[in-house]
Amino acid sequence: MAASASSAINLSIKPSHTSLSWQTHLSSTSALAVSPLSGHRQYPRFVIYAVGDKPTVLVAEKLGEAGVNLLKEFADVDCSYNLTPEELCNKISLCDALIVRSGTKVSREVFESSGGRLKVVGRAGVGIDNVDLAAATEHGCLVVNAPTANTVAAAEHGIALLTAMARNVAQADASVKAGKWLRNKYVGVSLVGKTLAVMGFGKVGSEVARRAKGLGMHVIAHDPYAPADRARAIGVELVSFDKAISSADFISLHMPLTPATNKVLNDETFSKMKKGVRIVNVARGGVIDEDALVRAFDAGIVAQAALDVFTVEPPKDSKLVQHENVTATPHLGASTMEAQEGVAIEIAEAVVGALNGELAATAVNAPMVPAEVLSELKPFVALAEKLGRLAVQLVAGGSGVKSVKVTYGSARGPDDLDTRLLRAMITKGLIEPISSSFVNLVNADFTAKQRGLRITEQRSLLNGSPESPLEFIQVQISSVESKFASALSNSGEIRVEGRVKDGIPHLTKVGSFEVDVSLEGSIILCRQVDQPGMIGKVGSILSEGNVNVSFMSVGRVAPRKHAVMAIGVDDQPSKEILKRIGEIPAVEEFVYLKI
Ligand SMILES: NC(=O)c1ccc[n+]([C@@H]2O[C@H](COP(=O)([O-])OP(=O)(O)OC[C@H]3O[C@@H](n4cnc5c(N)ncnc54)[C@H](O)[C@@H]3O)[C@@H](O)[C@H]2O)c1
Ligand SMILES: O=C(O)[C@H](O)COP(=O)(O)O
């Protein structure tokens, strides 16, 4: 049995194709999108996460009863509140999903302690600043949130704080209860005609703006990412940061806590504000430099502040909380009966869906793939993974699998084919057979980058009908040796190509040889001198070994020259059977591949 042979057919893109290419240097975050969607969407079942018989869900903070009941229909539910970080780390290796609110830090240690079992973190609310998203992604753990159910509650609390602060409600209440009657001390300020700057014009910010307009305020907003037409529709002018803070009588904060918004109100920005400005914060404590706010009170810049959120919660020995011009609430923005019920249902549905293998509409660290795109790509997703598995099993040595080129043959325009899912599944197929990594849509790009695997994607634009999203997928691995030399293209890469036929993935090219074998079970690839009786010889050896053949096809260079036989088998042939195939005189090389 010889080790190699040269390929006689040159695989090239057909003359009718034009070639269009783009390259994706994979990074851990570039392909990930924060969900722009709100509300519930049903995605088709699409198993990406390993699912046990009955998963265990740890609910680490109080969750509305309806949500807990929904979880119980599907999973074993462990409601354990007030866990220390150590207790959480100890428990987590027994859990498939974790549900938290803002009071639990889901740190890198939590993911590391999970031993790979934790597949979903559900944040029963909006802010995900308490979840280490990078660590979640690296560990292939999906993070979902419940972004819509508490919007109105937070906006109402913002308005409650705004009006209570302006009329000293909390301070006056405390003094009356202390037996005092200080009518002159607690003279307030009016809201009507005053300028309110809404910082962060998202879901909560725009609801606050709407309500403040109803109170007769002049509302402006700052949000670098908000669409101007949404602001216009509510009658709000979008302005620069400096204009917003310098012209406002009241400032209400509604942006997420990010590196860009961390301590965005600080000594410098307080110094630009009008004297006597009043500040409301129902977003995140970290957007205000709390020491600078105390200094701004002392300097007479800020007259009052109403704060629902703090850098550290609960705040410890805080000069700020004790300040007489501060109205404080213990992170109550989302705490209405209605919001908590809604959030509990929203997160329970998202977590159950994710454990069932659905792609969550509220995924925070995975690409959002619309339902219709998913359903048409589904057979190609299976093909992509199988081609990755086949290609990597053909590698015999060389400099390691470092550079992989994927070509998608499609009649669709470049903007019409979302390849993130396909790329993730090819990556899964390439990496899982040669490592202990568990690769899914969440961590595929990250895992590839970690392993130094560069995947470039290229489109071969075909002339045919754009009805089907794809005609073929081709996977090429460069700078490696192959254990089946016929799998090498003329330019020396391992090359496999497949198509979907009647919904079933097929291998249609190996190196330069055209074959046609369905990618089910396993495959024997065998190169031989093309001569009569070869199919019979191999077939009878397999049948003597009780190996069922599901599919067989032969691709050849020319009659009586070299041919590659692809044989689909349902059962694993014994070593003895494989040896006997190799001993057939006309067989030049062969390989058995598990798909
Ligand atoms: N206190 C509570 O209980 C409570 C309840 C709900 C939400 N929240 C918090 O309120 C905030 C807003 O929630 P949401 O549901 O409206 O989120 P959202 O994502 O709908 O809106 C946030 C907005 O902030 C904008 N933004 C981002 N960076 C900005 C920047 N540098 N400057 C100005 N704007 C910026 C975004 O473009 C977006 O429009 C979050 O921090 C959330 O955690 C708190
Ligand atoms: O981001 C949020 O949704 C709010 O801050 C609510 O947080 P909570 O769920 O801890 O009340």
Side-chain angles (χ1 to χ4, degrees), residues 172-229:
D173 172 71
S175 79
V176 172
K177 286 180 175 146
K180 297 177 189 161
W181 194 253
L182 303 172
R183 297 186 67 218
N184 290 335
K185 181 167 181 188
Y186 294 123
V187 172
V189 291
S190 188
L191 299 178
V192 72
K194 299 282 168 55
T195 296
L196 169 71
V198 171
M199 309 299 285
F201 197 69
K203 294 185 291 296
V204 178
S206 46
E207 288 304 319
V208 164
R210 216 188 286 279
R211 284 159 178 75
K213 286 197 66 89
L215 295 172
M217 299 187 83
H218 169 60
V219 183
I220 55 176
H222 169 70
D223 186 328
Y225 317 107
D229 55 345

Coordinates of all heavy atoms in Angstrom, one line a residue, residues 172-229:
A172 N -38.7 65.2 55.1 CA -39.9 65.7 55.8 C -40.6 64.6 56.6 O -41.0 64.8 57.7 CB -40.8 66.4 54.9
D173 N -40.8 63.5 55.9 CA -41.4 62.3 56.6 C -40.6 61.9 57.9 O -41.2 61.8 58.9 CB -41.4 61.2 55.6 CG -41.9 59.9 56.2 OD1 -43.1 59.8 56.5 OD2 -41.1 59.0 56.4
A174 N -39.3 61.8 57.7 CA -38.5 61.5 58.9 C -38.6 62.5 60.0 O -38.7 62.1 61.2 CB -37.0 61.3 58.5
S175 N -38.7 63.8 59.6 CA -38.8 64.8 60.7 C -40.1 64.8 61.4 O -40.2 65.0 62.6 CB -38.4 66.2 60.1 OG -39.5 66.7 59.5
V176 N -41.2 64.6 60.6 CA -42.5 64.5 61.3 C -42.5 63.3 62.2 O -43.0 63.4 63.4 CB -43.6 64.4 60.2 CG1 -45.0 64.1 60.9 CG2 -43.7 65.6 59.3
K177 N -42.0 62.2 61.8 CA -42.0 61.0 62.7 C -41.1 61.2 63.9 O -41.3 60.6 64.9 CB -41.5 59.8 61.9 CG -42.6 59.3 60.9 CD -42.2 58.1 60.1 CE -43.4 57.7 59.3 NZ -43.0 57.1 58.0
A178 N -40.2 62.2 63.8 CA -39.3 62.5 64.9 C -40.0 63.6 65.8 O -39.3 64.2 66.7 CB -37.9 63.0 64.4
G179 N -41.2 63.9 65.5 CA -42.0 64.8 66.3 C -41.8 66.3 66.0 O -42.2 67.2 66.7
K180 N -41.2 66.5 64.8 CA -40.9 67.9 64.4 C -42.0 68.4 63.4 O -42.7 67.6 62.8 CB -39.5 68.1 63.8 CG -38.4 67.7 64.8 CD -37.1 67.8 64.1 CE -36.0 67.3 65.1 NZ -34.8 66.9 64.4
W181 N -42.1 69.7 63.2 CA -43.0 70.3 62.2 C -42.3 71.4 61.5 O -42.5 72.6 61.8 CB -44.3 70.8 63.0 CG -45.4 71.0 62.1 CD1 -45.9 72.3 61.8 CD2 -46.2 70.1 61.4 NE1 -47.0 72.2 61.0 CE2 -47.2 70.8 60.7 CE3 -46.3 68.7 61.3 CZ2 -48.2 70.2 59.9 CZ3 -47.2 68.1 60.6 CH2 -48.2 68.8 59.9
L182 N -41.4 71.1 60.5 CA -40.5 72.1 59.9 C -41.0 72.5 58.5 O -40.4 72.2 57.5 CB -39.1 71.4 59.8 CG -38.5 70.9 61.1 CD1 -37.3 70.2 60.9 CD2 -38.3 72.1 62.1
R183 N -42.1 73.3 58.5 CA -42.7 73.7 57.2 C -41.8 74.7 56.4 O -41.7 74.6 55.2 CB -44.0 74.4 57.5 CG -45.0 73.4 58.1 CD -46.4 74.0 58.2 NE -47.0 74.2 57.0 CZ -47.8 75.3 56.7 NH1 -48.0 76.2 57.6 NH2 -48.3 75.4 55.5
N184 N -41.0 75.5 57.1 CA -40.1 76.4 56.3 C -38.8 75.7 55.8 O -38.4 76.0 54.7 CB -39.6 77.5 57.2 CG -40.8 78.5 57.5 OD1 -41.7 78.5 56.7 ND2 -40.8 79.2 58.6
K185 N -38.4 74.7 56.6 CA -37.1 74.0 56.1 C -37.4 73.2 54.9 O -36.5 73.1 54.0 CB -36.7 73.0 57.3 CG -35.4 72.3 56.9 CD -34.7 71.6 58.1 CE -33.4 71.0 57.6 NZ -32.8 70.1 58.6
Y186 N -38.5 72.6 54.7 CA -38.7 71.7 53.6 C -39.5 72.3 52.4 O -40.3 71.6 51.8 CB -39.3 70.4 54.1 CG -38.4 69.6 55.0 CD1 -38.7 69.3 56.3 CD2 -37.1 69.3 54.5 CE1 -37.8 68.6 57.1 CE2 -36.2 68.7 55.3 CZ -36.5 68.3 56.6 OH -35.6 67.7 57.4
V187 N -39.3 73.5 52.2 CA -39.8 74.2 50.9 C -39.1 73.5 49.8 O -37.8 73.5 49.8 CB -39.6 75.7 51.0 CG1 -40.0 76.3 49.6 CG2 -40.4 76.3 52.1
G188 N -39.8 73.1 48.8 CA -39.2 72.4 47.6 C -39.0 73.2 46.4 O -39.0 74.5 46.5
V189 N -38.7 72.5 45.3 CA -38.6 73.2 44.0 C -39.6 72.6 43.1 O -40.0 71.4 43.2 CB -37.2 73.2 43.4 CG1 -36.2 74.0 44.2 CG2 -36.8 71.7 43.2
S190 N -40.1 73.4 42.1 CA -41.1 72.9 41.2 C -40.4 72.2 40.0 O -39.2 72.5 39.7 CB -41.9 74.0 40.7 OG -43.0 73.5 39.9
L191 N -41.1 71.3 39.3 CA -40.5 70.6 38.2 C -41.0 71.3 36.9 O -40.2 71.2 35.9 CB -41.0 69.1 38.1 CG -40.6 68.3 39.3 CD1 -41.2 66.9 39.2 CD2 -39.1 68.2 39.5
V192 N -42.1 71.8 36.9 CA -42.7 72.3 35.6 C -41.8 73.4 35.0 O -41.2 74.3 35.7 CB -44.1 72.9 35.8 CG1 -44.2 74.1 36.6 CG2 -44.9 73.0 34.5
G193 N -41.5 73.3 33.7 CA -40.7 74.2 33.0 C -39.2 74.0 33.2 O -38.3 74.7 32.6
K194 N -38.8 73.1 34.1 CA -37.4 72.9 34.4 C -36.8 71.9 33.3 O -37.5 71.1 32.7 CB -37.1 72.3 35.8 CG -37.6 73.1 36.9 CD -36.6 74.3 37.2 CE -37.2 75.3 38.1 NZ -37.7 74.9 39.4
T195 N -35.5 72.0 33.1 CA -34.8 71.1 32.1 C -34.3 69.8 32.8 O -33.6 69.9 33.8 CB -33.7 71.8 31.4 OG1 -34.2 73.0 30.7 CG2 -32.9 70.9 30.5
L196 N -34.8 68.7 32.2 CA -34.3 67.4 32.7 C -33.4 66.8 31.6 O -33.8 66.7 30.5 CB -35.5 66.5 32.9 CG -35.1 65.0 33.2 CD1 -34.4 64.8 34.6 CD2 -36.3 64.1 33.1
A197 N -32.2 66.4 32.0 CA -31.3 65.7 31.1 C -31.3 64.3 31.4 O -31.0 63.8 32.5 CB -29.9 66.3 31.2
V198 N -31.8 63.5 30.4 CA -31.9 62.0 30.6 C -30.6 61.5 29.9 O -30.3 61.6 28.7 CB -33.1 61.5 29.8 CG1 -33.1 59.9 29.8 CG2 -34.4 61.9 30.5
M199 N -29.7 60.9 30.8 CA -28.4 60.4 30.3 C -28.6 58.9 30.0 O -28.6 58.1 31.0 CB -27.4 60.6 31.3 CG -27.3 62.1 31.8 SD -27.0 63.3 30.5 CE -25.2 63.0 30.3
G200 N -28.6 58.5 28.8 CA -28.9 57.1 28.4 C -30.4 57.0 28.0 O -31.3 57.0 28.8
F201 N -30.6 57.1 26.7 CA -32.0 57.1 26.2 C -32.4 55.8 25.6 O -32.8 55.6 24.5 CB -32.1 58.2 25.1 CG -33.5 58.6 24.8 CD1 -34.2 59.4 25.7 CD2 -34.1 58.3 23.6 CE1 -35.5 59.8 25.4 CE2 -35.4 58.7 23.3 CZ -36.1 59.5 24.2
G202 N -32.3 54.8 26.5 CA -32.7 53.4 26.2 C -34.1 53.2 26.6 O -35.0 54.1 26.6
K203 N -34.4 51.9 27.1 CA -35.8 51.6 27.5 C -36.2 52.4 28.7 O -37.3 53.0 28.6 CB -35.8 50.1 27.8 CG -35.6 49.2 26.6 CD -35.7 47.7 26.9 CE -34.7 47.1 27.8 NZ -33.3 47.2 27.2
V204 N -35.4 52.4 29.8 CA -35.8 53.1 31.0 C -35.8 54.6 30.7 O -36.7 55.4 31.0 CB -35.0 52.7 32.2 CG1 -35.4 53.5 33.4 CG2 -35.0 51.2 32.5
G205 N -34.7 55.1 30.1 CA -34.5 56.5 29.9 C -35.7 57.1 29.1 O -36.2 58.2 29.4
S206 N -36.1 56.4 28.0 CA -37.1 57.0 27.2 C -38.5 57.0 27.9 O -39.3 57.9 27.8 CB -37.2 56.4 25.8 OG -37.2 55.0 25.9
E207 N -38.7 56.0 28.8 CA -40.0 56.0 29.6 C -39.9 57.1 30.6 O -41.0 57.7 30.9 CB -40.2 54.6 30.3 CG -40.5 53.5 29.3 CD -41.8 53.8 28.5 OE1 -42.8 54.3 29.0 OE2 -41.8 53.5 27.3
V208 N -38.8 57.4 31.2 CA -38.7 58.5 32.1 C -38.9 59.8 31.4 O -39.7 60.7 31.9 CB -37.3 58.5 32.8 CG1 -37.0 59.8 33.5 CG2 -37.1 57.4 33.8
A209 N -38.4 59.9 30.2 CA -38.5 61.1 29.4 C -40.0 61.4 29.1 O -40.5 62.5 29.3 CB -37.8 61.0 28.1
R210 N -40.7 60.3 28.7 CA -42.1 60.4 28.4 C -42.9 60.9 29.6 O -43.7 61.8 29.5 CB -42.6 59.0 28.1 CG -43.7 58.9 27.0 CD -44.2 57.5 26.9 NE -43.3 56.5 26.3 CZ -43.1 56.4 25.0 NH1 -43.8 57.1 24.2 NH2 -42.3 55.5 24.5
R211 N -42.6 60.3 30.8 CA -43.3 60.7 32.0 C -43.0 62.1 32.4 O -43.8 62.9 32.9 CB -43.0 59.7 33.1 CG -43.8 58.4 32.9 CD -43.2 57.2 33.7 NE -44.0 56.0 33.5 CZ -44.0 55.3 32.4 NH1 -43.3 55.7 31.3 NH2 -44.8 54.2 32.3
A212 N -41.7 62.5 32.3 CA -41.3 63.9 32.7 C -41.9 64.9 31.8 O -42.3 66.0 32.3 CB -39.8 64.0 32.6
K213 N -42.1 64.6 30.6 CA -42.8 65.6 29.7 C -44.2 65.8 30.2 O -44.8 66.9 30.1 CB -42.8 65.1 28.3 CG -41.4 65.2 27.6 CD -41.4 65.2 26.1 CE -42.1 66.3 25.5 NZ -41.3 67.5 25.2
G214 N -44.8 64.7 30.7 CA -46.2 64.8 31.2 C -46.2 65.7 32.5 O -47.3 66.2 32.8
L215 N -45.1 65.8 33.1 CA -45.0 66.7 34.3 C -44.7 68.1 33.9 O -44.5 69.0 34.8 CB -44.0 66.2 35.3 CG -44.2 64.8 35.9 CD1 -43.0 64.4 36.7 CD2 -45.4 64.9 36.8
G216 N -44.6 68.4 32.6 CA -44.4 69.7 32.1 C -42.9 70.1 32.1 O -42.5 71.3 32.0
M217 N -42.0 69.1 32.1 CA -40.6 69.4 32.1 C -40.1 69.6 30.7 O -40.7 69.0 29.7 CB -39.8 68.4 32.8 CG -40.1 68.2 34.3 SD -39.0 67.1 35.2 CE -37.7 68.2 35.6
H218 N -39.0 70.3 30.5 CA -38.3 70.4 29.2 C -37.3 69.3 29.2 O -36.4 69.3 30.1 CB -37.7 71.7 29.0 CG -36.8 71.8 27.8 ND1 -37.2 71.6 26.5 CD2 -35.4 72.1 27.8 CE1 -36.2 71.7 25.7 NE2 -35.1 72.0 26.4
V219 N -37.4 68.3 28.3 CA -36.5 67.1 28.4 C -35.5 67.1 27.3 O -35.9 67.2 26.1 CB -37.4 65.8 28.4 CG1 -36.4 64.6 28.6 CG2 -38.4 65.8 29.5
I220 N -34.3 67.0 27.6 CA -33.2 66.7 26.6 C -32.6 65.4 27.0 O -32.8 64.9 28.1 CB -32.1 67.9 26.6 CG1 -31.5 68.1 28.0 CG2 -32.7 69.2 26.1 CD1 -30.4 69.1 28.1
A221 N -31.8 64.8 26.0 CA -31.2 63.5 26.4 C -29.8 63.4 25.7 O -29.6 64.0 24.7 CB -32.1 62.4 25.9
H222 N -29.0 62.7 26.4 CA -27.7 62.3 25.8 C -27.5 60.8 25.7 O -27.7 60.1 26.7 CB -26.5 62.9 26.6 CG -25.2 62.3 26.1 ND1 -24.7 62.7 24.9 CD2 -24.4 61.4 26.6 CE1 -23.5 62.1 24.7 NE2 -23.3 61.2 25.7
D223 N -27.3 60.4 24.5 CA -27.1 58.9 24.3 C -26.4 58.8 22.9 O -27.1 59.0 21.9 CB -28.4 58.2 24.3 CG -28.2 56.6 24.2 OD1 -27.2 56.2 23.6 OD2 -29.0 55.9 24.8
P224 N -25.1 58.5 22.9 CA -24.4 58.4 21.5 C -25.0 57.4 20.6 O -24.7 57.4 19.4 CB -23.0 58.1 21.9 CG -22.9 57.9 23.3 CD -24.2 58.1 24.0
Y225 N -25.7 56.4 21.1 CA -26.2 55.3 20.3 C -27.7 55.3 20.0 O -28.2 54.4 19.3 CB -25.8 54.0 20.9 CG -24.4 54.0 21.4 CD1 -24.2 54.0 22.8 CD2 -23.3 54.0 20.6 CE1 -22.9 54.1 23.3 CE2 -22.0 54.0 21.1 CZ -21.8 54.1 22.4 OH -20.5 54.1 22.9
A226 N -28.4 56.3 20.5 CA -29.9 56.3 20.4 C -30.3 56.9 19.0 O -29.7 57.9 18.6 CB -30.5 57.1 21.5
P227 N -31.3 56.3 18.4 CA -31.8 56.8 17.1 C -32.5 58.2 17.3 O -33.3 58.3 18.2 CB -32.7 55.8 16.6 CG -33.0 54.9 17.7 CD -32.0 55.1 18.8
A228 N -32.2 59.1 16.5 CA -32.7 60.5 16.7 C -34.3 60.4 16.5 O -35.0 61.2 17.1 CB -32.1 61.4 15.7
D229 N -34.8 59.5 15.6 CA -36.2 59.6 15.3 C -37.0 59.1 16.6 O -38.1 59.6 16.8 CB -36.6 58.7 14.1 CG -36.0 57.3 14.2 OD1 -35.2 57.0 15.0 OD2 -36.5 56.5 13.4

